[in-house]
Amino acid sequence: MGPLLGGILVLGVDMPFNHKDAEPEHFARICVLRKDTVDSFGFHLRQELEREGHIVRLVVLGGPAYLAGLRDGDQLLQINGEYVHEQAYQRVVQKIKHSGNRVSLGVLDEASYNQLCSNAKPIISALPSFLPDSCPRPHFYVVKNEGRGFGFTATATGGIRGTFLLQVEEGGPAQKSGVPQGARLLEVNGESTISITLSQLTKKLQRRSSHVVLLVLEASAWDTYETHGVQPSAAFAETSSVPYRTRKLHMVKGPQGYGFLLRQEKCQGGQGQFLREIDPGLSAEEAGMHEGDRLLGVNGQSIEGLEHENIVSIIQESGKQVTLIVISNEGDRFFNEKVTLNG
């Protein structure tokens, strides 16, 4: 039996998305859930021999999952806008658990799923199209402390954990950096605000800090992300606004392996996965890996929330080649410098 997943529904969206490769009756339902005082979403996620992927079972009648529109036998295809049908079970469960106070699930009813399979149509064709090109993207802003703080305050909306709006002071550092009035705060120094309270956010900034890196989204864009079932994050940010950019390293395994070690180490903000002991002349060095780079993703998927052993297994199971997403040691320190909100 799969683990019972915790949380409560705030909003359920059940709407068809006609993809060019999908027949009209084959569409995913997007259900958006938020945690509250309830400890469980009221359903189990299972793997079964008769079907591939991840299947919704044991939906509690009248519970949050039921009220959101989830039904027994539904096929889970998407979490927070990410296609997960072919990902490992434990990884999918962890993605739901680490979604904070809000998770968006894209599911397909059992009959439609079976019909797509029998017609040999790609399962991903049942999912909604991605964010429209016209939709504003999150933006990074580096705000300097000019001696009186950063020139903004954050307010919680509706008492919901992790949902903050920014009030920007006229002529203050935040305004000078371009932070828009009323924007949604998504990250502080690379750390998501999705699961924290206003009190916890307040402790993340302090006057002695020289700068803070904010990831924000224009207030007008929030409804578009909500409708598409996508959690806005740094993955959608304008690349021109990123102070330090990530790098993609594609490596082919040689007779002596890739030529690096992956180590879990303490860092600002907790634990991180770092690349060490890079062998000269082997694939890792040739791909551009540097000593101390921090690993952020493997084969296009984030490793956030995964255990060290699971990450090693994902790399090993990649076969003869693997693609890593990394950030430099300097960039990692920049984003994870401990700062807190000025009162």
Side-chain angles (χ1 to χ4, degrees):
M1 181 180 294
L4 198 63
L5 303 173
I8 187 169
L9 166 76
V10 161
L11 172 66
V13 181
D14 186 357
M15 56 191 299
F17 295 90
N18 293 324
H19 190 283
K20 63 181 180 181
D21 295 325
E23 297 177 14
E25 66 270 21
H26 300 148
F27 58 84
R29 309 190 312 278
I30 303 298
C31 303
V32 184
L33 298 84
R34 272 195 175 92
K35 289 185 178 180
D36 201 344
T37 56
V38 178
D39 294 330
S40 170
F41 282 141
F43 76 97
H44 284 69
L45 195 62
R46 286 182 168 174
Q47 286 189 307
E48 299 178 359
L49 294 176
E50 296 80 9
R51 282 164 62 183
E52 296 181 352
H54 314 287
I55 304 156
V56 173
R57 294 295 186 194
L58 301 180
V59 179
V60 178
L61 186 64
Y66 182 86
L67 295 175
L70 293 184
R71 295 295 180 263
D72 188 81
D74 280 345
Q75 193 83 23
L76 178 63
L77 304 181
Q78 187 183 63
I79 299 174
N80 294 333
E82 179 182 351
Y83 183 61
V84 298
H85 178 60
E86 298 169 1
Q87 294 186 18
Y89 173 78
Q90 288 298 334
R91 187 174 187 183
V92 171
V93 170
Q94 287 182 348
K95 285 182 183 297
I96 296 176
K97 287 185 175 180
H98 288 88
S99 291
N101 70 324
R102 175 188 181 278
V103 65
S104 167
L105 304 181
V107 299
L108 187 66
D109 69 87
E110 184 174 6
S112 293
Y113 175 77
N114 291 335
Q115 187 65 42
L116 277 180
C117 291
S118 65
N119 292 341
K121 287 186 174 291
I123 303 303
I124 197 171
S125 68
L127 287 170
S129 56
F130 216 59
L131 291 171
D133 292 337
S134 59
C135 180
R137 305 290 166 160
H139 199 286
F140 281 104
Y141 296 94
V142 181
V143 183
K144 296 181 179 180
N145 188 333
E146 297 182 350
R148 295 185 177 181
F150 301 107
F152 71 89
T153 56
T155 58
T157 60
I160 299 173
R161 178 186 289 262
T163 307
F164 305 106
L165 298 182
L166 297 182
Q167 298 300 316
V168 181
E169 297 176 6
E170 186 73 25
Q175 187 185 64
K176 293 176 183 178
S177 298
V179 179
Q181 188 70 253
R184 293 250 186 172
L185 179 63
L186 305 178
E187 292 183 3
V188 175
N189 294 328
E191 183 178 355
S192 174
T193 62
I194 194 172
S195 300
I196 65 176
T197 64
L198 180 59
S199 176
Q200 291 169 327
L201 175 62
T202 300
K203 295 177 182 178
K204 291 186 177 298
L205 297 146
Q206 61 187 14
R207 292 185 180 181
R208 67 176 177 269
S209 302
S210 63
H211 66 269
V212 63
V213 182
L214 307 178
L215 179 65
V216 307
L217 179 67
E218 293 180 24
S220 62
W222 184 261
D223 287 344
T224 303
Y225 283 80
E226 187 98 340
T227 300
H228 284 76
V230 176
Q231 178 64 46
S233 68
F236 302 101
E238 296 277 2
T239 56
S240 61
S241 72
V242 181
Y244 286 90
R245 301 192 183 190
T246 58
R247 309 190 322 275
K248 182 181 293 187
L249 311 180
H250 182 70
M251 300 178 294
V252 178
K253 184 183 292 185
Q256 296 176 282
Y258 292 118
F260 73 94
L261 291 180
L262 180 66
R263 289 181 175 172
Q264 179 169 293
E265 302 174 6
K266 289 184 179 180
C267 61
Q268 292 175 327
Q271 299 282 338
Q273 307 297 323
F274 293 88
L275 307 172
R276 302 292 186 187
E277 299 185 28
I278 302 167
D279 294 328
L282 297 187
S283 183
E285 184 187 58
E286 292 177 352
M289 184 181 295
H290 301 147
E291 179 73 20
D293 280 346
R294 182 170 183 171
L295 180 63
L296 303 177
V298 180
N299 295 331
Q301 303 298 329
S302 171
I303 63 166
E304 183 178 0
L306 299 184
E307 298 293 334
H308 177 78
E309 293 75 13
N310 292 338
I311 299 169
V312 172
S313 296
I314 292 171
I315 295 174
Q316 292 175 339
E317 292 168 4
S318 295
K320 296 292 185 181
Q321 53 186 334
V322 67
T323 300
L324 306 182
I325 303 297
V326 304
I327 192 169
S328 68
N329 187 275
E330 295 79 6
D332 179 59
R333 288 200 308 270
F334 182 79
F335 282 115
N336 289 285
E337 179 185 11
K338 286 291 182 184
V339 249
T340 52
L341 175 72
N342 153 45

